[in-house]
Amino acid sequence: MEKLAVYCAQNPFKVIFSWLFIFALSVYLNISFLEDGLTTEFTFITQPESEKGQEALLDLTGPRLASELIVVKSDTFKVSNPEFENLVTSIQTDLTKLGPNIIKNNYSYYQTQDPQSVSKNQNATLIGLTLSVSVDAGIKNVPKVIEIVDKYNKEPNFEVLILGEASIASASNKLSEEDLIRGESIGGSVALVILILVFGGLVAGVLPLILALLGIVIATGLVAIIGNIYQLSFFITNMVTMIGLAVGIDYTLFIISRYREERNQDFDKIEAVRRTASTATRSVVISGITVMLALLGIVIVPTLVFVSLGIGALIVVVVSILISLTLLPSLIGLLGDKLNSLRVPFLNSRTSKSVEITSSANIWVRFAGFVMRFPIISLVVVLIVLVPISMQTNSLVTGANGIDTMPEDMDIVKAYNVLSEEFSYGSISTQDIVVSGRFAPEALNSAVEILSQLVQGDPDLIGILGTPQINSQNDVALIRIATASVVGSSQSENTVKRLRDSIVPEAFSGLDSSIYVSGDHAFYADFYQMVDEFTPYVFALVLTLSFILLMMTFRSIVIPIKAVLMNLLSVGVAYGLLVLVFQKGIGNEIFGFQQTDIIEAWIPLFLFCVVFGLSMDYHVFLLSRVKEFYNKTKDNTLAVSYGLSSTATIITGAGLIMVAVFGGFALGEMLMMQQIGFGLLVAILLDSTIIRIILVPASMKLLGEYNWYMPKWLEWLPTVKFEAEN
């Protein structure tokens, strides 16, 4: 590692131009291929029952095409008035002109005379249309439909809105992009200010931000390649940006800080680079590996969103590490002491020498000394505050938030509100029963009769809608059951369970065909079940791998046990605050967050993996300095003081940078981004402050030499060194 850093510092132009070429190639990949590699669809990697049902339906309904509803409402005219009919007819004419490549068909009340297409007070009606392509492809076509809708929405006395799969996906994409830009601008701006304050100069302050953005562009270029081979969720770009800013800035910050410290010890430029590579850069690599091990927990959950988020995070962490190993030493070698140029007046950017770091005049030494004089009191006070917050996790309710949680001024939300209020849209949905396999029509009818009787006895099922849809080969049938359950709710999940466990098996016992409970209700039930099923495996994998890596790094079983417990406390507090702020609405208005009864079902598991990985950063950087000094002095108390004081400013700055990055995303409009950003923000803030400056020194004081206890029967394990032999 030291040889690589020295080579890069001595040959900066070769390395810099290589990275510039990779950057240019990544820009091309992003522009040309990224959009085609991402999807808004939420699918499973495996095939649960709901997916099997949808696949069987292809023989009955064909490929699933995107469908839309256009809402036409007037406070002046009734649907029976000619003015109303003329406007609807004009809209349909313009839709037809788009051609069969965009619109497969469209229909309205004036053709079907379906009373369900007219509102209760006769002042609104619906135009139904089916696009000629799937939802993903429809995102490219639906803007032309939206243009027509917007055109007629400007007509006096009428309100024209659209809602459907493609329009929702298009609006979600747009909102996600806006949140991404907002998160980057807020997080990046605040991070830049913090970096300048930490380093006291513009050059050293700007460099980490530039390298983080470079890593994000390159990582998204790799995502574009992978996405065109194996399609990924569009949320991956938010993940790459958020994690890329956080770790990219932090890793560069730690390395530059250590390099300046070594230069301040009067080592020449190349020797300072070598010594930095043998200490801080090694810690960055170990920290990065720890983060990646935690992120593996996301990847093993077989749903597209989890796999995509995990892949995106892993890619950007790897790219950030490679930049730290090669490009950063090259830039340091090129800039030399110009790294400290453009200093900001009144900011002291001079790095302290070791003797000053351990001096009693250092505020962090004094604070660590205070905590270690009263370790039990320090631990008790902190735990009295944090444990009750983490216990709020018992009230955590997960599920799926609907369109109504999106910003109220969005047209799709306005359309949803009209449909809900005027047409009872959403109050009745269907549980879909799919029969797959050869069957006799008489046997199917008999089963449907039994099903109808059983449905009438269920409190959450209303009745069978119409007659079964059957294909010409009599091997696929669809029976739809009306239900008042809200899609994604616990009531809906329980209804699906009753259908699968008792109602459907009893009704279709006389058929040899495969019977699937499918549709939107079943999809969410399968997703919740999958998350519950994989959660223990994810926790076990992340905790075990992190424990083993830390044990081999610090040659102790006590250090990793404490690290795991403290990180679990951070995660627990993050969960508890999500409950208090979002579910119970305590202080949500202060932050501008929505109050909701539900936390998105995938967020807790996602937060666990990301928080656990990022929190390990601070443990590795702090404890590596503690271990470094302990190896020299064998004085546990002095080593803790040295480790805390030598990393305090940098880790505090790094923590505040992550808080700024996650805070920028938490201020977005999408509820799920608010929940993710806030959860990460509070966990990292807690870990980089209270846990690092109170719990770590207090616990290390209480345990003394036992901190470094390693059973003899484990000494055969290889050592992962954070400091090279000099």
Side-chain angles (χ1 to χ4, degrees):
M1 197 173 295
E2 299 94 301
K3 291 181 180 179
L4 176 61
V6 169
Y7 173 83
C8 293
Q10 292 175 334
N11 301 273
F13 291 107
K14 290 182 181 179
V15 179
I16 292 171
F17 282 121
S18 297
W19 278 103
L20 287 176
F21 172 76
I22 295 172
F23 172 76
L25 179 61
S26 299
V27 171
Y28 167 74
L29 291 171
N30 285 324
I31 294 173
S32 303
F33 301 105
L34 182 60
E35 185 178 358
D36 292 334
L38 304 181
T39 177
T40 57
E41 292 190 7
F42 195 111
T43 58
F44 295 95
I45 307 302
T46 56
Q47 270 204 321
E49 186 172 331
S50 58
E51 288 273 304
K52 292 177 181 177
Q54 290 300 314
E55 187 173 307
L57 279 178
L58 290 175
D59 291 332
L60 176 65
T61 61
R64 186 166 172 266
L65 303 178
S67 60
E68 299 286 325
L69 284 176
I70 295 176
V71 182
V72 184
K73 182 181 178 183
S74 174
D75 292 331
T76 305
F77 302 107
K78 298 294 184 181
V79 174
S80 57
N81 294 139
E83 292 87 351
F84 212 122
E85 182 175 357
N86 290 338
L87 184 78
V88 170
T89 302
S90 297
I91 295 173
Q92 288 188 268
T93 300
D94 285 358
L95 290 172
T96 303
K97 288 179 181 178
L98 291 176
N101 291 331
I102 296 178
I103 303 295
K104 182 178 181 181
N105 59 58
N106 70 87
Y107 52 90
S108 71
Y109 167 76
Y110 301 105
Q111 288 91 48
T112 65
Q113 295 296 305
D114 182 1
Q116 292 185 352
S117 299
V118 180
S119 64
K120 303 168 187 174
N121 56 9
Q122 302 290 308
N123 72 336
T125 188
L126 304 176
I127 301 173
L129 62 108
T130 304
L131 300 182
S132 301
V133 290
S134 65
V135 175
D136 268 352
I139 293 175
K140 296 180 180 179
N141 292 341
V142 80
K144 296 178 181 178
V145 178
I146 294 174
E147 285 180 13
I148 295 174
V149 171
D150 291 342
K151 168 187 169 183
Y152 286 98
N153 193 35
K154 297 175 183 177
E155 291 287 327
N157 304 318
F158 286 96
E159 184 178 27
V160 183
L161 304 165
I162 186 171
L163 179 69
E165 296 166 303
S167 57
I168 292 173
S170 177
S172 297
N173 276 353
K174 182 179 179 182
L175 193 60
S176 176
E177 290 172 2
E178 292 173 354
D179 283 356
L180 190 62
I181 294 171
R182 182 185 293 107
E184 286 178 332
S185 58
I186 295 175
S189 300
V190 176
L192 179 59
V193 172
I194 295 171
L195 286 167
I196 293 173
L197 290 174
V198 170
F199 287 126
L202 291 177
V203 175
V206 170
L207 188 57
L209 184 59
I210 292 175
L211 294 185
L213 294 174
L214 176 73
I216 290 169
V217 172
I218 293 171
T220 50
L222 293 171
V223 166
I225 296 174
I226 296 173
N228 279 271
I229 300 171
Y230 174 84
Q231 206 161 42
L232 301 169
S233 170
F234 77 103
F235 282 121
I236 194 172
T237 54
N238 296 69
M239 183 68 168
V240 168
T241 302
M242 187 164 56
I243 300 300
L245 281 173
V247 301
I249 292 174
D250 274 11
Y251 292 166
T252 307
L253 171 64
F254 286 119
I255 291 173
I256 291 178
S257 174
R258 185 60 184 252
Y259 168 77
R260 295 174 76 200
E261 183 180 323
E262 297 295 347
R263 283 289 289 135
N264 201 54
Q265 304 298 322
D266 298 326
F267 293 107
D268 64 47
K269 179 176 68 176
I270 298 301
E271 178 61 16
V273 168
R274 189 194 69 79
R275 293 176 67 87
T276 299
S278 70
T279 53
T281 305
R282 285 177 177 267
S283 295
V284 163
V285 173
I286 293 171
S287 173
I289 293 172
T290 308
V291 172
M292 288 189 287
L293 292 178
L295 294 173
L296 284 176
I298 304 177
V299 180
I300 69 170
V301 183
T303 64
L304 183 63
V305 66
F306 273 110
V307 172
S308 298
L309 293 176
I311 288 174
L314 285 169
I315 289 174
V316 79
V317 171
V318 170
V319 171
S320 298
I321 292 174
L322 292 175
I323 288 174
S324 300
L325 286 172
T326 57
L327 182 57
L328 181 54
S330 299
L331 291 170
I332 291 174
L334 182 65
L335 293 171
D337 289 338
K338 292 180 181 178
L339 190 65
N340 299 320
S341 58
L342 299 180
R343 293 188 178 183
V344 179
F346 312 114
L347 290 180
N348 180 16
S349 62
R350 185 175 62 86
T351 305
S352 300
K353 295 187 177 183
S354 296
V355 65
E356 295 169 333
I357 288 174
T358 56
S359 168
S360 61
N362 187 303
I363 185 174
W364 295 106
V365 172
R366 295 201 302 271
F367 187 85
F370 174 81
V371 170
M372 288 189 286
R373 279 198 303 274
F374 307 100
I376 296 178
I377 295 176
S378 300
L379 283 173
V380 170
V381 169
V382 170
L383 293 177
I384 285 176
V385 175
L386 297 185
V387 171
I389 296 176
S390 64
M391 290 177 66
Q392 291 293 323
T393 303
N394 295 327
S395 302
L396 185 69
V397 178
T398 59
N401 288 295
I403 301 172
D404 55 327
T405 61
M406 299 179 81
E408 294 180 356
D409 59 347
M410 295 183 70
D411 285 346
I412 59 169
V413 177
K414 294 177 182 177
Y416 173 82
N417 290 335
V418 173
L419 287 167
S420 300
E421 295 165 5
E422 305 287 345
F423 295 88
S424 300
Y425 177 85
S427 62
I428 296 178
S429 53
T430 63
Q431 298 274 6
D432 296 345
I433 311 299
V434 180
V435 181
S436 177
R438 196 76 179 174
F439 54 81
E442 298 79 11
L444 179 66
N445 291 334
S446 176
V448 171
E449 288 180 10
I450 299 173
L451 178 65
S452 179
Q453 295 173 4
L454 295 172
V455 163
Q456 291 175 9
D458 190 278
D460 296 322
L461 297 174
I462 298 172
I464 295 176
L465 294 176
T467 58
Q469 301 177 41
I470 305 173
N471 69 348
S472 57
Q473 291 82 24
N474 285 337
D475 59 5
V476 178
L478 172 63
I479 302 112
R480 285 188 161 153
I481 305 172
T483 175
S485 302
V486 177
V487 174
S489 66
S490 58
Q491 181 187 17
S492 165
E493 186 180 6
N494 291 331
T495 305
V496 171
K497 192 174 188 311
R498 288 196 303 275
L499 281 167
R500 288 175 172 172
D501 292 348
S502 58
I503 296 176
V504 167
E506 183 177 346
F508 291 89
S509 59
L511 266 68
D512 293 331
S513 307
S514 298
I515 315 296
Y516 305 115
V517 178
S518 189
D520 292 339
H521 290 271
F523 175 89
Y524 281 101
D526 286 338
F527 176 69
Y528 299 155
Q529 181 182 353
M530 188 167 290
V531 171
D532 291 341
E533 179 183 342
F534 275 85
T535 293
Y537 297 109
V538 171
F539 271 63
L541 176 69
V542 172
L543 295 177
T544 301
L545 292 179
S546 300
F547 178 88
I548 292 173
L549 179 63
L550 291 177
M551 181 173 61
M552 292 192 298
T553 301
F554 295 103
R555 307 305 296 172
S556 165
I557 63 167
V558 177
I559 292 293
I561 289 174
K562 288 196 305 176
V564 166
L565 292 176
M566 290 179 187
N567 282 355
L568 287 175
L569 179 62
S570 295
V571 173
V573 172
Y575 287 173
L577 287 173
L578 281 176
V579 171
L580 291 173
V581 174
F582 286 96
Q583 287 184 208
K584 299 186 177 181
I586 299 175
N588 66 303
E589 293 181 354
I590 298 174
F591 303 103
F593 298 151
Q594 296 184 53
Q595 190 276 325
T596 176
D597 296 330
I598 292 172
I599 304 299
E600 289 288 337
W602 57 275
I603 286 180
L605 192 57
F606 167 82
L607 279 181
F608 166 76
C609 295
V610 176
V611 167
F612 203 90
L614 296 180
S615 294
M616 281 296 181
D617 269 358
Y618 304 119
H619 280 87
V620 170
F621 288 121
L622 170 59
L623 294 176
S624 63
R625 296 304 291 267
V626 173
K627 180 66 171 175
E628 179 184 337
F629 204 73
Y630 178 79
N631 288 341
K632 296 176 182 178
T633 65
K634 299 302 178 183
D635 187 325
N636 182 71
T637 301
L638 187 60
V640 173
S641 295
Y642 172 81
L644 183 61
S645 58
S646 63
T647 60
T649 301
I650 300 303
I651 290 181
T652 301
L656 290 176
I657 287 168
M658 281 201 184
V659 167
V661 170
F662 298 141
F665 285 93
L667 294 176
E669 297 282 353
M670 295 186 75
L671 179 60
M672 67 175 65
M673 293 308 298
Q674 292 179 359
Q675 293 177 348
I676 292 171
F678 180 74
L680 291 173
L681 181 156
V682 295
I684 297 303
L685 182 62
L686 172 68
D687 197 80
S688 61
T689 54
I690 294 176
I691 287 180
R692 175 178 56 83
I693 65 178
I694 299 178
L695 291 187
V696 170
S699 62
M700 295 197 78
K701 174 63 177 178
L702 286 173
L703 292 169
E705 299 300 319
Y706 288 107
N707 284 298
W708 314 107
Y709 172 70
M710 183 73 165
K712 290 185 178 180
W713 59 274
L714 289 175
E715 290 180 354
W716 61 272
L717 289 171
T719 300
V720 179
K721 295 183 179 180
F722 55 83
E723 182 181 12
E725 299 292 342
N726 291 314

